[in-house]
Amino acid sequence: MSDQKTLIIRSGGGLDGLDIHTGIWLGLNQFNIQGTHFSGTSAGAIISGYNAAGWNSNKMRIRISGLTEKDVLDYRNLWQLRFLFMNGINGFINNDYIINLLNKDLPSDWNKYLPLKTWAVNSTNGDGKNTFTSSMAANPIQAIVASMSIRGVFPALKLLDGIYYTDGGTDENLPVTTWEPLSQFDKVYLCVATGVSNPWDNTLGEVETLLQNIGMLMEQQVDHAIADVQEQIGDKCVVIWPELQTPGTLHFDHSLIQQAFDETVKILSRE
């Protein structure tokens, strides 16, 4: 077995990001690129969790392709009445459906995973932290869910340190600092699932429009993160960013799996 250390870092990206990351993973597999270490936030934390737990890209494709929004999004009825509450409602989507899905698919034993770090932020001060450790989370599923709990959309998750955590994308949407120094790795793959939305799409609701605007800001953050890594490790860094038109954070588009695969193959063919 090769002693090469390969780090795969996956960005956030919402439900459509799950599709894109699955396509990227299929593309990596096409070139027999297997990670030994993983990092991710939000959608990237979920896919990296499956990857680190031993799933393969084809099994992931079948799993994601079979999901609809109704399988993972449980809207809270009280959200419509949020303005009647002085402190508002902590998120308008329950995370129970996603927790049940992950509990069904993934092991609860920390030792069943390859080295993985999931990035979430302290909901009080915005500081980022790796949650994938038994000192932070009661189990691996909790660690992953904390990383994908978009602030204001899903409830913040209280971890073992007594602090509530939310989606790590607001701090590092491409969590490149989790495994520093990156020079320890032979290859680092930066996988970005931030799609290109239409800024003039007036069919989106208020929440979707807000999330889209946040996503645009995160793209700048990702650009800076990529530049920093390239400066640190040069050609040991490979960027995979299929810039695809996407339907928005809270929607699947399973055609993106094939599109992301095709773009990844093009990118890796040039390496």
Side-chain angles (χ1 to χ4, degrees):
M1 181 179 289
S2 171
D3 292 329
Q4 179 162 306
K5 292 174 66 176
T6 301
L7 173 62
I8 298 177
I9 302 177
R10 293 180 169 102
S11 76
L15 295 188
D16 48 359
L18 294 175
D19 287 314
I20 294 174
H21 274 311
T22 299
I24 292 173
W25 188 0
L26 287 161
L28 291 170
N29 185 65
Q30 183 80 359
F31 287 80
N32 198 31
I33 296 168
Q34 307 294 331
T36 60
H37 296 69
F38 304 91
S39 177
T41 192
S42 198
I46 293 174
I47 298 298
S48 284
Y50 278 89
N51 201 166
W55 279 50
N56 62 55
S57 57
N58 284 314
K59 186 177 179 181
M60 192 78 249
R61 175 182 57 80
I62 294 169
R63 186 53 158 144
I64 293 295
S65 297
L67 294 176
T68 68
E69 286 96 355
K70 290 182 179 180
D71 293 320
V72 295
L73 301 180
D74 177 21
Y75 286 88
R76 306 170 80 175
N77 294 330
L78 283 179
W79 172 255
Q80 303 298 332
L81 304 174
R82 64 194 181 280
F83 298 114
L84 299 178
F85 296 84
M86 185 172 295
N87 295 320
I89 304 292
N90 181 16
F92 65 93
I93 302 177
N94 287 315
N95 53 25
D96 294 348
Y97 286 6
I98 296 175
I99 291 172
N100 291 338
L101 178 73
L102 297 179
N103 276 324
K104 180 179 179 180
D105 290 347
L106 298 178
S108 58
D109 185 345
W110 295 99
N111 297 319
K112 298 292 185 182
Y113 293 79
L114 290 172
L116 168 65
K117 294 187 178 182
T118 56
W119 200 246
V121 299
N122 180 322
S123 63
T124 302
N125 60 24
D127 288 344
K129 198 166 189 178
N130 169 39
T131 57
F132 203 84
T133 164
S134 58
S135 65
M136 281 290 294
N139 56 64
I141 309 306
Q142 191 181 68
I144 293 169
V145 172
S147 178
M148 54 118 288
S149 296
I150 302 170
R151 188 184 181 108
V153 177
F154 294 99
L157 206 62
K158 186 178 182 180
L159 297 184
L160 296 179
D161 59 0
I163 295 171
Y164 286 88
Y165 286 85
T166 57
D167 191 311
T170 55
D171 179 59
E172 284 193 61
N173 198 37
L174 186 63
V176 299
T177 64
T178 50
W179 282 104
E180 289 184 332
L182 294 178
S183 57
Q184 68 181 292
F185 297 98
D186 298 289
K187 212 74 175 176
V188 175
Y189 291 88
L190 305 181
C191 303
V192 184
T194 303
V196 179
S197 300
N198 178 5
W200 308 111
D201 186 354
N202 57 14
T203 66
L204 299 176
E206 61 174 292
V207 174
E208 283 282 9
T209 301
L210 174 62
L211 292 173
Q212 178 176 279
N213 291 337
I214 292 171
M216 291 177 183
L217 294 174
M218 286 180 176
E219 285 183 31
Q220 299 175 29
Q221 182 193 86
V222 168
D223 282 333
H224 290 304
I226 289 172
D228 287 344
V229 174
Q230 289 173 329
E231 184 176 352
Q232 287 181 56
I233 61 173
D235 60 8
K236 290 168 67 175
C237 167
V238 178
V239 179
I240 303 175
W241 190 345
E243 297 190 36
L244 304 173
Q245 192 74 39
T246 61
T249 301
L250 299 180
H251 300 284
F252 284 117
D253 178 356
H254 297 317
S255 70
L256 291 169
I257 297 175
Q258 183 63 46
Q259 294 177 53
F261 168 78
D262 292 339
E263 290 301 311
T264 301
V265 169
K266 290 178 185 177
I267 292 167
L268 293 176
S269 295
R270 296 194 291 265
E271 289 296 318

